[in-house]
Structure formats: structure tokens, C-alpha cells
Amino acid sequence: SIFDGAGGTIDPVYGLSSFIAIMTMTFAPKILGRAGSLWSSSQSARYGGRLRVLLGGLLEIFMSVLMAPVVAFAIAAFAAGLTIGKRIDWRVQPRNDRRVSWSEAVRSFWPQTLFGAGLFTLLALAMPGVLPWAAPVIAGFVLAVPFAVITTAPVLGRATVATRICSIPEDPSPPAALKRLRTALAAA
């Protein structure tokens, strides 16, 4: 049994095993992809060199850690809504460059932010020793609104292209078809 006695607490071995399995599924593709780029000098050169590949990978993992609880919460809320008859609304995602406004971010992420503040308060009062372990999850929830706004800022996108950290090879050197498209769109 995963429970260790009458108190109904979960055996830490099972909790740790589950955590390791989930983290492996979450981060293995990112780590292996970066490792492949780091292994090949020609591949890493396409992304600006090994240092930029490594820095971009670390930044991506850090941002993924912040985003994961927010996304999981949104999926759980969506699934819960389905169980009470909420209709599915499949809208086309905007794929163009656009900024998320503060008001849009607040409308979208207030439940996650409120949940994070509540979780922090609960843990601070009931189990303060857990706070260092829960900090990445709580930070993701509490910072959901500014994270959405800041990460969609055009200046951040330009910075990733200029520094070649978290950019793709096509950013500094777009293919001819993309150049023609941008020219045609600018002229329209």
C-alpha cells in the first residue's frame, strides 16, 4: 500500500518516485534536445554556439518550471468544467506577434494567482518547512500575470533574437520565402 499506516499519510518513497517520473517526462525532451545540439558543433553553431544553447536551455527549463503549475491548473479547471456541463469553445489560437495586456492577463490568470496566494498562506501557517520545496510551484501561480505580460513583450522577443538566446536559426537569418512574406505584409 502507498499509505504507511492508520494516519493515512503517503509513504515518501512513492511520492518521490512519482515526482522523479513526472520530472523525467517533463524535462527529458528538453534536456536531450539541448544535449544533441551541444554534442554537434555544427548544430550548436546554428543556434549561436554552445554557450547560447546552454543558456537558452537553462532559461527554458526555468520558465517551464514556472509555467507548469499554471498550465496544470488550467487543464484541471477545464476538465472540472466539463464534468458540470460546461461547453467546449474551440477558438483559433492567435499565431501572430501580439502582446498580452495586463487586463487580459488578470482576466485569464486571476484563479491561478488566487490559488497560489491561498496555497502560500496555507503552507506558511500549517507547514512552513514545506515552503522551500513548494516555492517553484507557488511562484508559478503567483507570478502568472506578470509572466504572461513580460514574456509577450516585443522588446523581449527582440532581445532573444539579438542575443541568440532562446532563438532559432531562422531568427537572425530568415529563409527567402519568409523575407518575401514580411515584405509583402509590410507593403499591404
Coordinates of all heavy atoms in Angstrom, one line a residue, residues 65-164:
V65 N 9.4 25.5 -15.4 CA 9.1 25.2 -14.0 C 8.0 26.2 -13.6 O 7.1 25.9 -12.8 CB 10.4 25.3 -13.2 CG1 10.0 25.4 -11.7 CG2 11.3 24.1 -13.5
L66 N 8.2 27.5 -14.0 CA 7.2 28.5 -13.6 C 5.8 28.3 -14.2 O 4.8 28.4 -13.6 CB 7.6 29.9 -13.9 CG 8.8 30.4 -13.0 CD1 9.2 31.8 -13.5 CD2 8.4 30.4 -11.5
M67 N 5.8 27.8 -15.5 CA 4.6 27.7 -16.3 C 3.9 26.4 -16.0 O 2.6 26.4 -16.0 CB 4.9 27.7 -17.8 CG 5.1 29.0 -18.3 SD 5.4 29.1 -20.1 CE 5.1 27.5 -20.7
A68 N 4.5 25.3 -15.6 CA 3.9 24.0 -15.4 C 2.7 24.0 -14.5 O 1.7 23.5 -14.8 CB 5.0 23.0 -15.0
P69 N 2.8 24.6 -13.3 CA 1.7 24.5 -12.4 C 0.5 25.4 -12.9 O -0.7 25.0 -12.7 CB 2.2 25.1 -11.1 CG 3.5 25.7 -11.3 CD 4.0 25.2 -12.6
V70 N 0.8 26.4 -13.6 CA -0.3 27.3 -14.2 C -1.0 26.5 -15.3 O -2.3 26.6 -15.3 CB 0.3 28.6 -14.7 CG1 -0.7 29.5 -15.4 CG2 1.0 29.4 -13.6
V71 N -0.3 25.9 -16.1 CA -0.9 25.1 -17.2 C -1.7 23.9 -16.6 O -2.8 23.6 -17.0 CB 0.1 24.6 -18.2 CG1 -0.4 23.6 -19.2 CG2 0.8 25.8 -18.9
A72 N -1.1 23.2 -15.6 CA -1.8 22.1 -14.9 C -3.1 22.6 -14.3 O -4.1 21.9 -14.4 CB -0.9 21.4 -13.9
F73 N -3.1 23.7 -13.7 CA -4.3 24.3 -13.0 C -5.3 24.6 -14.1 O -6.5 24.2 -13.9 CB -3.9 25.6 -12.3 CG -5.1 26.2 -11.5 CD1 -5.2 25.9 -10.2 CD2 -6.0 27.0 -12.2 CE1 -6.3 26.5 -9.5 CE2 -7.0 27.6 -11.5 CZ -7.2 27.3 -10.1
A74 N -4.9 25.2 -15.2 CA -5.9 25.5 -16.3 C -6.5 24.2 -16.9 O -7.7 24.2 -17.1 CB -5.2 26.3 -17.4
I75 N -5.7 23.2 -17.0 CA -6.2 21.9 -17.6 C -7.2 21.3 -16.6 O -8.3 20.8 -16.9 CB -5.1 20.9 -17.9 CG1 -4.3 21.5 -19.1 CG2 -5.6 19.5 -18.2 CD1 -3.0 20.7 -19.3
A76 N -6.9 21.3 -15.3 CA -7.8 20.8 -14.2 C -9.1 21.5 -14.2 O -10.1 20.9 -14.1 CB -7.1 20.8 -12.9
A77 N -9.0 22.9 -14.3 CA -10.2 23.7 -14.3 C -11.1 23.4 -15.5 O -12.3 23.3 -15.4 CB -9.9 25.2 -14.2
F78 N -10.4 23.2 -16.7 CA -11.1 22.9 -17.9 C -11.8 21.5 -17.7 O -13.0 21.4 -18.0 CB -10.2 22.8 -19.1 CG -10.8 22.4 -20.3 CD1 -11.5 23.2 -21.1 CD2 -10.5 21.1 -20.8 CE1 -12.1 22.8 -22.3 CE2 -11.1 20.7 -22.0 CZ -11.9 21.5 -22.8
A79 N -11.1 20.5 -17.2 CA -11.7 19.2 -17.0 C -12.8 19.2 -16.0 O -13.9 18.6 -16.2 CB -10.6 18.2 -16.6
A80 N -12.7 20.0 -14.9 CA -13.7 20.1 -13.9 C -15.0 20.8 -14.6 O -16.1 20.3 -14.3 CB -13.2 20.9 -12.7
G81 N -14.7 21.7 -15.4 CA -15.9 22.4 -16.1 C -16.6 21.4 -17.0 O -17.9 21.5 -17.1
L82 N -15.9 20.5 -17.6 CA -16.6 19.5 -18.5 C -17.5 18.6 -17.7 O -18.6 18.2 -18.1 CB -15.6 18.7 -19.2 CG -14.8 19.4 -20.3 CD1 -13.8 18.4 -20.9 CD2 -15.7 19.9 -21.4
T83 N -17.1 18.3 -16.4 CA -17.9 17.4 -15.6 C -19.2 18.0 -15.2 O -20.1 17.3 -14.8 CB -17.1 16.9 -14.4 OG1 -16.9 18.0 -13.5 CG2 -15.8 16.2 -14.8
I84 N -19.3 19.4 -15.2 CA -20.5 20.0 -14.7 C -21.3 20.6 -16.0 O -22.1 21.5 -15.8 CB -20.3 21.1 -13.7 CG1 -19.3 22.2 -14.2 CG2 -19.8 20.5 -12.4 CD1 -19.2 23.4 -13.3
G85 N -20.9 20.1 -17.1 CA -21.6 20.5 -18.3 C -21.2 21.8 -19.0 O -21.9 22.3 -19.9
K86 N -20.0 22.3 -18.7 CA -19.5 23.5 -19.4 C -19.2 23.1 -20.8 O -18.6 22.1 -21.1 CB -18.2 24.0 -18.7 CG -17.8 25.3 -19.3 CD -16.6 25.9 -18.5 CE -16.2 27.2 -19.1 NZ -15.0 27.7 -18.4
R87 N -19.6 24.0 -21.7 CA -19.4 23.7 -23.2 C -18.0 24.0 -23.6 O -17.4 24.9 -23.1 CB -20.4 24.6 -24.0 CG -21.8 24.2 -23.7 CD -22.7 25.1 -24.6 NE -22.3 25.0 -25.9 CZ -23.1 24.8 -27.0 NH1 -24.4 24.7 -26.7 NH2 -22.7 24.7 -28.2
I88 N -17.5 23.2 -24.5 CA -16.2 23.4 -25.1 C -16.2 24.5 -26.1 O -17.1 24.4 -27.0 CB -15.6 22.1 -25.6 CG1 -15.5 21.0 -24.6 CG2 -14.3 22.3 -26.3 CD1 -15.1 19.7 -25.1
D89 N -15.3 25.4 -26.0 CA -15.3 26.5 -27.0 C -13.9 26.5 -27.6 O -12.9 26.9 -27.0 CB -15.5 27.9 -26.3 CG -15.5 29.0 -27.3 OD1 -15.7 28.8 -28.5 OD2 -15.3 30.2 -26.8
W90 N -13.8 25.9 -28.8 CA -12.5 25.8 -29.5 C -12.3 27.0 -30.4 O -12.9 27.1 -31.5 CB -12.5 24.5 -30.4 CG -12.5 23.3 -29.6 CD1 -13.5 22.4 -29.4 CD2 -11.4 22.7 -28.9 NE1 -13.2 21.4 -28.6 CE2 -11.9 21.5 -28.2 CE3 -10.1 23.1 -28.6 CZ2 -11.1 20.7 -27.4 CZ3 -9.3 22.3 -27.8 CH2 -9.8 21.1 -27.3
R91 N -11.5 27.9 -30.0 CA -11.2 29.1 -30.8 C -9.8 28.9 -31.4 O -8.9 28.3 -30.8 CB -11.2 30.3 -29.9 CG -12.6 30.8 -29.6 CD -12.6 32.0 -28.8 NE -13.1 31.6 -27.4 CZ -12.6 32.1 -26.3 NH1 -11.7 33.1 -26.3 NH2 -13.1 31.7 -25.1
V92 N -9.6 29.5 -32.5 CA -8.3 29.5 -33.1 C -7.3 30.3 -32.3 O -7.6 31.5 -31.9 CB -8.3 30.1 -34.6 CG1 -7.0 30.1 -35.2 CG2 -9.3 29.2 -35.4
Q93 N -6.2 29.8 -32.0 CA -5.2 30.5 -31.2 C -4.5 31.5 -32.1 O -4.2 31.3 -33.3 CB -4.1 29.6 -30.8 CG -4.5 28.7 -29.6 CD -3.3 27.8 -29.2 OE1 -2.4 27.5 -29.9 NE2 -3.3 27.5 -27.9
P94 N -4.3 32.7 -31.6 CA -3.6 33.7 -32.4 C -2.1 33.3 -32.6 O -1.5 33.0 -31.6 CB -3.7 35.0 -31.6 CG -4.1 34.6 -30.2 CD -4.7 33.2 -30.3
R95 N -1.7 33.3 -33.8 CA -0.3 32.8 -34.0 C 0.6 34.0 -34.4 O 1.8 33.8 -34.7 CB -0.3 31.8 -35.2 CG -1.0 30.5 -34.8 CD -0.3 29.7 -33.9 NE -1.0 28.4 -33.7 CZ -0.6 27.6 -32.7 NH1 0.4 27.8 -32.0 NH2 -1.3 26.5 -32.6
N96 N 0.1 35.2 -34.5 CA 0.9 36.3 -34.9 C 1.5 36.9 -33.7 O 1.3 36.6 -32.5 CB 0.0 37.4 -35.6 CG -1.2 37.8 -34.8 OD1 -1.5 37.2 -33.8 ND2 -1.8 38.9 -35.1
D97 N 2.4 37.9 -33.9 CA 3.1 38.6 -32.8 C 2.0 39.5 -32.1 O 1.4 40.3 -32.8 CB 4.2 39.5 -33.3 CG 5.3 38.6 -33.9 OD1 5.4 37.5 -33.6 OD2 6.1 39.2 -34.7
R98 N 1.8 39.3 -30.9 CA 0.9 40.1 -30.1 C 1.3 40.1 -28.7 O 1.8 39.1 -28.1 CB -0.5 39.7 -30.3 CG -1.0 38.5 -29.6 CD -2.5 38.3 -29.8 NE -3.0 37.4 -28.8 CZ -3.5 37.7 -27.6 NH1 -3.5 39.0 -27.3 NH2 -3.9 36.8 -26.8
R99 N 1.0 41.2 -28.1 CA 1.3 41.4 -26.6 C 0.1 41.1 -25.8 O -1.0 41.4 -26.2 CB 1.8 42.8 -26.4 CG 2.2 43.1 -25.0 CD 2.7 44.5 -24.9 NE 3.4 44.5 -23.6 CZ 4.5 45.2 -23.4 NH1 5.0 45.9 -24.3 NH2 5.1 45.1 -22.2
V100 N 0.3 40.5 -24.7 CA -0.8 40.2 -23.7 C -0.9 41.4 -22.8 O 0.2 41.8 -22.2 CB -0.6 38.9 -22.9 CG1 -1.7 38.8 -21.8 CG2 -0.6 37.7 -23.8
S101 N -2.0 42.1 -22.7 CA -2.1 43.3 -21.8 C -2.3 42.8 -20.4 O -2.6 41.7 -20.1 CB -3.4 44.1 -22.3 OG -4.6 43.4 -22.0
W102 N -2.1 43.8 -19.5 CA -2.2 43.5 -18.1 C -3.7 43.0 -17.8 O -3.9 42.1 -17.0 CB -1.8 44.7 -17.2 CG -0.3 44.8 -17.1 CD1 0.4 45.6 -17.9 CD2 0.5 44.1 -16.2 NE1 1.8 45.5 -17.5 CE2 1.8 44.5 -16.5 CE3 0.3 43.1 -15.3 CZ2 2.9 44.0 -15.8 CZ3 1.4 42.6 -14.6 CH2 2.7 43.1 -14.9
S103 N -4.6 43.7 -18.4 CA -6.0 43.4 -18.1 C -6.4 42.0 -18.6 O -7.1 41.2 -18.0 CB -7.0 44.4 -18.7 OG -6.9 44.5 -20.1
E104 N -5.9 41.6 -19.8 CA -6.1 40.3 -20.3 C -5.5 39.2 -19.5 O -6.0 38.2 -19.2 CB -5.6 40.2 -21.8 CG -5.8 38.9 -22.5 CD -5.2 38.8 -23.8 OE1 -4.5 39.8 -24.3 OE2 -5.4 37.8 -24.5
A105 N -4.2 39.5 -19.0 CA -3.5 38.5 -18.2 C -4.3 38.4 -16.8 O -4.4 37.2 -16.3 CB -2.1 39.0 -17.9
V106 N -4.8 39.4 -16.3 CA -5.5 39.3 -15.0 C -6.8 38.5 -15.2 O -7.1 37.6 -14.4 CB -5.8 40.7 -14.4 CG1 -6.8 40.6 -13.3 CG2 -4.5 41.4 -13.9
R107 N -7.5 38.8 -16.3 CA -8.7 38.1 -16.6 C -8.5 36.6 -16.8 O -9.2 35.7 -16.4 CB -9.4 38.6 -17.9 CG -10.4 39.7 -17.7 CD -11.2 40.0 -18.9 NE -10.5 40.0 -20.2 CZ -9.8 41.0 -20.7 NH1 -9.8 42.2 -20.0 NH2 -9.2 40.9 -21.9
S108 N -7.3 36.3 -17.4 CA -7.0 34.9 -17.7 C -6.4 34.1 -16.5 O -6.7 32.9 -16.3 CB -6.0 34.8 -18.9 OG -6.6 35.3 -20.0
F109 N -5.6 34.8 -15.7 CA -4.9 34.1 -14.7 C -5.2 34.5 -13.2 O -4.5 34.1 -12.3 CB -3.4 34.3 -14.9 CG -2.9 33.8 -16.2 CD1 -2.5 34.6 -17.3 CD2 -2.9 32.4 -16.5 CE1 -2.1 34.1 -18.5 CE2 -2.5 31.9 -17.7 CZ -2.1 32.7 -18.7
W110 N -6.3 35.2 -13.0 CA -6.6 35.5 -11.6 C -6.9 34.2 -10.8 O -6.5 34.2 -9.6 CB -7.8 36.5 -11.5 CG -9.1 36.0 -11.8 CD1 -9.8 36.0 -13.0 CD2 -10.0 35.2 -11.0 NE1 -11.0 35.4 -13.0 CE2 -11.1 34.9 -11.7 CE3 -9.9 34.8 -9.7 CZ2 -12.2 34.1 -11.2 CZ3 -11.0 34.1 -9.1 CH2 -12.1 33.8 -9.9
P111 N -7.5 33.2 -11.3 CA -7.7 32.0 -10.5 C -6.4 31.4 -10.0 O -6.3 31.0 -8.9 CB -8.5 31.0 -11.4 CG -9.1 31.9 -12.4 CD -8.2 33.0 -12.6
Q112 N -5.4 31.3 -11.0 CA -4.1 30.7 -10.6 C -3.4 31.6 -9.5 O -2.8 31.0 -8.6 CB -3.3 30.5 -11.9 CG -3.7 29.4 -12.8 CD -4.6 29.9 -13.9 OE1 -5.4 30.8 -13.7 NE2 -4.6 29.2 -15.0
T113 N -3.5 32.9 -9.7 CA -2.8 33.8 -8.8 C -3.5 33.7 -7.4 O -2.8 33.6 -6.4 CB -2.9 35.2 -9.3 OG1 -2.3 35.3 -10.6 CG2 -2.2 36.2 -8.4
L114 N -4.8 33.6 -7.4 CA -5.5 33.5 -6.1 C -5.2 32.1 -5.4 O -5.0 32.1 -4.2 CB -7.0 33.6 -6.3 CG -7.9 33.7 -5.1 CD1 -7.6 34.8 -4.2 CD2 -9.4 33.7 -5.5
F115 N -5.2 31.1 -6.2 CA -4.8 29.8 -5.7 C -3.4 29.8 -5.1 O -3.2 29.2 -4.1 CB -5.0 28.7 -6.8 CG -4.6 27.3 -6.4 CD1 -5.6 26.6 -5.7 CD2 -3.4 26.7 -6.6 CE1 -5.3 25.3 -5.2 CE2 -3.1 25.5 -6.2 CZ -4.0 24.7 -5.5
G116 N -2.5 30.4 -5.9 CA -1.1 30.4 -5.4 C -1.0 31.2 -4.1 O -0.3 30.8 -3.1
A117 N -1.7 32.3 -4.0 CA -1.7 33.1 -2.7 C -2.3 32.3 -1.6 O -1.8 32.3 -0.4 CB -2.4 34.4 -2.9
G118 N -3.4 31.6 -1.9 CA -4.0 30.7 -0.9 C -3.1 29.6 -0.4 O -3.0 29.3 0.7
L119 N -2.5 28.9 -1.4 CA -1.6 27.8 -1.1 C -0.4 28.3 -0.3 O 0.0 27.6 0.7 CB -1.1 27.2 -2.4 CG -0.1 26.0 -2.3 CD1 -0.8 24.9 -1.6 CD2 0.4 25.6 -3.7
F120 N 0.2 29.5 -0.6 CA 1.3 30.0 0.2 C 0.8 30.3 1.6 O 1.5 29.9 2.6 CB 1.8 31.3 -0.4 CG 2.8 32.0 0.5 CD1 4.1 31.6 0.5 CD2 2.4 33.1 1.3 CE1 5.0 32.2 1.4 CE2 3.3 33.7 2.1 CZ 4.6 33.3 2.2
T121 N -0.4 30.9 1.8 CA -0.9 31.2 3.1 C -1.1 29.9 3.9 O -0.7 29.8 5.1 CB -2.2 32.0 3.0 OG1 -1.9 33.2 2.3 CG2 -2.7 32.3 4.4
L122 N -1.7 28.9 3.3 CA -2.0 27.6 3.9 C -0.7 27.0 4.4 O -0.6 26.5 5.5 CB -2.8 26.7 3.0 CG -3.1 25.3 3.5 CD1 -4.1 25.4 4.7 CD2 -3.6 24.4 2.4
L123 N 0.3 26.9 3.5 CA 1.5 26.2 3.8 C 2.3 27.0 4.9 O 2.9 26.4 5.8 CB 2.4 26.0 2.6 CG 1.8 25.0 1.6 CD1 2.7 24.9 0.4 CD2 1.7 23.6 2.2
A124 N 2.3 28.4 4.8 CA 3.0 29.2 5.8 C 2.4 29.0 7.2 O 3.2 29.0 8.1 CB 2.9 30.7 5.3
L125 N 1.1 28.8 7.2 CA 0.5 28.7 8.6 C 0.6 27.2 9.1 O 0.8 27.0 10.2 CB -1.0 29.1 8.5 CG -1.2 30.6 8.2 CD1 -2.7 30.8 8.0 CD2 -0.7 31.4 9.4
A126 N 0.4 26.2 8.2 CA 0.3 24.8 8.6 C 1.6 24.1 8.5 O 1.9 23.2 9.4 CB -0.8 24.1 7.8
M127 N 2.4 24.3 7.5 CA 3.6 23.6 7.3 C 4.7 24.5 6.7 O 5.1 24.3 5.5 CB 3.3 22.4 6.3 CG 2.3 21.4 6.8 SD 2.1 20.0 5.7 CE 1.1 20.8 4.4
P128 N 5.2 25.4 7.5 CA 6.2 26.3 6.9 C 7.5 25.6 6.4 O 8.2 26.2 5.5 CB 6.5 27.3 8.1 CG 6.0 26.6 9.3 CD 4.9 25.7 8.9
G129 N 7.8 24.5 6.9 CA 9.0 23.8 6.5 C 8.9 23.3 5.0 O 9.9 23.0 4.4
V130 N 7.7 23.2 4.5 CA 7.5 22.8 3.1 C 7.7 23.9 2.1 O 7.9 23.7 0.9 CB 6.0 22.2 3.0 CG1 5.7 21.8 1.6 CG2 5.9 21.0 3.9
L131 N 7.6 25.2 2.6 CA 7.7 26.3 1.7 C 8.9 26.3 0.7 O 8.7 26.6 -0.5 CB 7.6 27.6 2.4 CG 6.2 28.0 2.9 CD1 6.3 29.3 3.8 CD2 5.3 28.2 1.8
P132 N 10.1 26.0 1.2 CA 11.2 26.0 0.2 C 11.0 25.0 -0.9 O 11.3 25.2 -2.1 CB 12.4 25.6 1.0 CG 12.1 26.0 2.4 CD 10.6 25.8 2.5
W133 N 10.4 23.8 -0.6 CA 10.1 22.8 -1.7 C 8.9 23.3 -2.6 O 8.9 22.9 -3.8 CB 9.7 21.5 -1.0 CG 10.9 20.9 -0.2 CD1 11.1 21.0 1.1 CD2 12.0 20.2 -0.8 NE1 12.3 20.4 1.4 CE2 12.9 19.9 0.3 CE3 12.3 19.8 -2.1 CZ2 14.1 19.2 0.1 CZ3 13.5 19.1 -2.2 CH2 14.4 18.8 -1.2
A134 N 8.0 24.0 -2.0 CA 6.8 24.4 -2.8 C 7.0 25.7 -3.5 O 6.2 26.1 -4.3 CB 5.6 24.5 -1.9
A135 N 8.2 26.4 -3.2 CA 8.4 27.7 -3.8 C 8.3 27.8 -5.3 O 7.7 28.7 -5.9 CB 9.8 28.2 -3.4
P136 N 8.8 26.8 -6.1 CA 8.7 26.9 -7.6 C 7.2 26.9 -8.0 O 6.8 27.6 -8.9 CB 9.5 25.7 -8.1 CG 10.4 25.4 -7.0 CD 9.7 25.7 -5.7
V137 N 6.4 26.0 -7.3 CA 5.0 25.9 -7.7 C 4.3 27.2 -7.3 O 3.5 27.8 -8.1 CB 4.4 24.7 -7.0 CG1 2.9 24.6 -7.2 CG2 5.0 23.4 -7.5
I138 N 4.5 27.6 -6.1 CA 3.8 28.9 -5.6 C 4.2 30.0 -6.5 O 3.4 30.9 -6.9 CB 4.1 29.1 -4.1 CG1 3.5 28.0 -3.3 CG2 3.6 30.5 -3.7 CD1 3.9 28.0 -1.8
A139 N 5.5 30.2 -6.8 CA 6.0 31.3 -7.6 C 5.3 31.3 -9.0 O 4.9 32.3 -9.5 CB 7.5 31.2 -7.8
G140 N 5.2 30.1 -9.6 CA 4.5 30.0 -10.9 C 3.1 30.5 -10.8 O 2.6 31.3 -11.7
F141 N 2.4 30.1 -9.8 CA 1.0 30.6 -9.6 C 0.9 32.1 -9.4 O 0.2 32.8 -10.0 CB 0.3 29.9 -8.4 CG -0.1 28.5 -8.7 CD1 0.2 27.5 -7.9 CD2 -0.9 28.2 -9.8 CE1 -0.2 26.2 -8.1 CE2 -1.3 26.9 -10.1 CZ -0.9 25.9 -9.2
V142 N 1.7 32.6 -8.4 CA 1.6 34.0 -8.0 C 2.1 34.9 -9.1 O 1.6 36.0 -9.3 CB 2.4 34.2 -6.7 CG1 2.5 35.7 -6.3 CG2 1.7 33.4 -5.6
L143 N 3.1 34.5 -9.9 CA 3.7 35.3 -10.9 C 3.1 35.1 -12.3 O 3.6 35.6 -13.3 CB 5.2 35.0 -11.0 CG 6.0 35.4 -9.8 CD1 7.4 34.9 -9.9 CD2 5.9 36.9 -9.5
A144 N 1.9 34.4 -12.4 CA 1.3 34.0 -13.7 C 1.0 35.3 -14.5 O 1.2 35.3 -15.7 CB 0.1 33.2 -13.5
V145 N 0.4 36.3 -13.8 CA 0.0 37.5 -14.6 C 1.2 38.3 -15.1 O 1.3 38.5 -16.3 CB -0.9 38.4 -13.7 CG1 -1.1 39.8 -14.3 CG2 -2.2 37.7 -13.4
P146 N 2.2 38.6 -14.3 CA 3.4 39.4 -14.8 C 4.2 38.5 -15.8 O 4.7 39.0 -16.8 CB 4.2 39.8 -13.6 CG 3.7 39.0 -12.5 CD 2.3 38.6 -12.8
F147 N 4.2 37.2 -15.6 CA 4.9 36.3 -16.5 C 4.3 36.4 -17.9 O 5.0 36.5 -18.9 CB 4.9 34.9 -16.0 CG 5.7 33.9 -16.7 CD1 7.0 33.7 -16.5 CD2 5.1 33.1 -17.8 CE1 7.8 32.7 -17.2 CE2 5.8 32.2 -18.5 CZ 7.2 32.0 -18.2
A148 N 3.0 36.3 -18.0 CA 2.3 36.4 -19.3 C 2.5 37.7 -20.0 O 2.8 37.7 -21.2 CB 0.8 36.2 -19.1
V149 N 2.5 38.8 -19.2 CA 2.7 40.1 -19.8 C 4.2 40.3 -20.3 O 4.5 40.7 -21.4 CB 2.3 41.2 -18.8 CG1 2.7 42.6 -19.3 CG2 0.9 41.2 -18.5
I150 N 5.1 40.0 -19.4 CA 6.5 40.2 -19.7 C 7.0 39.3 -20.8 O 7.7 39.7 -21.7 CB 7.4 40.0 -18.4 CG1 7.1 41.1 -17.4 CG2 8.9 39.9 -18.8 CD1 7.6 40.8 -16.0
T151 N 6.6 38.0 -20.9 CA 7.1 37.1 -21.9 C 6.5 37.4 -23.3 O 7.0 36.8 -24.2 CB 6.9 35.6 -21.5 OG1 5.5 35.4 -21.3 CG2 7.7 35.3 -20.3
T152 N 5.5 38.2 -23.3 CA 4.9 38.6 -24.6 C 5.4 40.0 -25.1 O 4.9 40.5 -26.1 CB 3.4 38.5 -24.7 OG1 2.9 39.4 -23.7 CG2 2.9 37.1 -24.4
A153 N 6.2 40.6 -24.3 CA 6.7 42.0 -24.7 C 7.6 41.9 -25.9 O 8.5 41.1 -26.0 CB 7.5 42.6 -23.5
P154 N 7.3 42.7 -26.9 CA 8.1 42.7 -28.1 C 9.6 42.9 -27.8 O 10.4 42.4 -28.5 CB 7.5 43.9 -28.9 CG 6.1 44.0 -28.5 CD 6.2 43.6 -27.0
V155 N 9.9 43.7 -26.8 CA 11.3 44.0 -26.5 C 12.0 42.7 -26.1 O 13.2 42.5 -26.4 CB 11.5 45.1 -25.5 CG1 11.0 44.7 -24.1 CG2 12.9 45.6 -25.4
L156 N 11.3 41.8 -25.4 CA 11.9 40.6 -25.0 C 12.2 39.7 -26.2 O 13.3 39.1 -26.4 CB 11.0 39.8 -24.0 CG 11.6 38.6 -23.4 CD1 12.9 38.8 -22.7 CD2 10.6 37.9 -22.5
G157 N 11.3 39.7 -27.2 CA 11.5 38.9 -28.4 C 12.7 39.5 -29.2 O 13.5 38.7 -29.7
R158 N 12.8 40.8 -29.3 CA 13.9 41.4 -30.0 C 15.2 41.0 -29.3 O 16.2 40.8 -29.9 CB 13.7 42.9 -30.1 CG 12.6 43.3 -31.1 CD 12.6 44.7 -31.4 NE 12.3 45.6 -30.3 CZ 11.1 45.9 -29.9 NH1 10.0 45.5 -30.6 NH2 10.9 46.7 -28.9
A159 N 15.2 41.0 -27.9 CA 16.4 40.7 -27.2 C 16.8 39.2 -27.4 O 18.0 38.9 -27.5 CB 16.1 40.9 -25.7
T160 N 15.9 38.3 -27.5 CA 16.2 36.9 -27.8 C 16.9 36.8 -29.2 O 17.8 36.0 -29.3 CB 15.1 35.9 -27.7 OG1 14.1 36.2 -28.6 CG2 14.4 36.0 -26.3
V161 N 16.4 37.5 -30.1 CA 17.0 37.5 -31.5 C 18.4 38.1 -31.4 O 19.3 37.6 -32.0 CB 16.0 38.2 -32.5 CG1 16.7 38.3 -33.8 CG2 14.7 37.4 -32.6
A162 N 18.5 39.3 -30.8 CA 19.8 40.0 -30.7 C 20.8 39.2 -30.0 O 22.0 39.1 -30.4 CB 19.6 41.3 -30.1
T163 N 20.5 38.5 -28.9 CA 21.5 37.7 -28.1 C 21.6 36.3 -28.6 O 22.5 35.6 -28.2 CB 21.1 37.7 -26.6 OG1 19.8 37.1 -26.5 CG2 21.0 39.1 -26.1
R164 N 20.6 35.9 -29.4 CA 20.5 34.5 -29.9 C 20.4 33.5 -28.8 O 20.8 32.3 -28.9 CB 21.7 34.1 -30.8 CG 21.7 35.0 -32.0 CD 22.5 34.6 -33.2 NE 22.0 33.3 -33.7 CZ 22.7 32.5 -34.5 NH1 23.9 33.0 -34.9 NH2 22.3 31.4 -34.9

